[in-house]
């Protein structure tokens, strides 16, 4: 695992545009501000609304160089889909949702 200093250095390089992609786990759920981000892919599900809002909030913050943000959420179970559809109903007045289905093999 990278050291604390290395993680901070990676975040600083991302903010400065030296890195185009930042991959993280729950470490960015709270306390990190990356408003220049315009795409998030959330692959870990959570039933915590607070945690989900924190994750989405990383990308929807206002920044002078972006007009919108895209958030992709990957899910695998019907329970997760129900949770996300409930979120869509609650947030439909604030956010635009699109659903994509991946092909099964």
């Amino acid at each position: 695992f990278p050291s604390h200093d290395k993680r901070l250095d990676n975040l600083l390089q991302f903010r400065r545009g030296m890195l185009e992609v930042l991959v993280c786990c729950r470490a960015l759920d709270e306390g990190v501000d990356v408003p220049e981000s315009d795409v998030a892919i959330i692959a870990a599900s959570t039933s915590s609304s607070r945690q989900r809002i924190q994750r989405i909030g990383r990308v929807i913050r206002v920044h002078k160089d972006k007009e919108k943000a895209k958030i992709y959420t990957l899910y695998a179970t019907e329970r997760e889909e129900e949770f996300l559809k409930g979120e869509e109903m609650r947030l439909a007045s604030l956010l635009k949702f699109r659903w994509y289905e991946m092909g099964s093999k």
Side-chain angles (χ1 to χ4, degrees):
F1 292 101
S3 69
H4 178 71
D5 290 342
K6 180 63 177 166
R7 289 191 302 265
L8 290 175
D9 184 53
N10 287 342
L11 185 56
L12 182 61
Q13 288 184 49
F14 179 75
R15 284 186 175 154
R16 291 180 176 165
M18 299 164 66
L19 297 175
E20 292 183 20
V21 176
L22 184 64
V23 177
C24 63
C25 57
R26 292 182 183 158
L28 290 184
D29 279 357
E30 296 183 32
V32 176
D33 190 23
V34 285
E36 54 277 336
S37 302
D38 59 358
V39 174
I41 300 171
I42 301 173
S45 68
T46 179
S47 59
S48 164
S49 294
R50 180 195 57 79
Q51 196 172 42
R52 179 126 173 98
I53 289 167
Q54 289 286 338
R55 292 174 182 178
I56 292 170
R58 302 286 156 246
V59 177
I60 63 171
R61 287 196 171 95
V62 175
H63 189 270
K64 65 181 176 63
D65 294 331
K66 74 176 179 188
E67 27 178 293
K68 63 182 177 178
K70 293 184 179 183
I71 300 164
Y72 298 91
T73 301
L74 310 177
Y75 66 92
T77 68
E78 287 182 22
R79 182 174 175 230
E80 290 170 311
E81 182 178 9
E82 289 173 15
F83 176 81
L84 293 170
K85 286 188 176 182
E87 179 179 81
E88 177 183 17
M89 291 177 68
R90 289 187 306 277
L91 299 176
S93 65
L94 302 171
L95 304 171
K96 182 177 179 180
F97 288 78
R98 288 192 189 144
W99 291 82
Y100 300 95
E101 187 172 329
M102 301 299 294
S104 301
K105 290 188 178 184

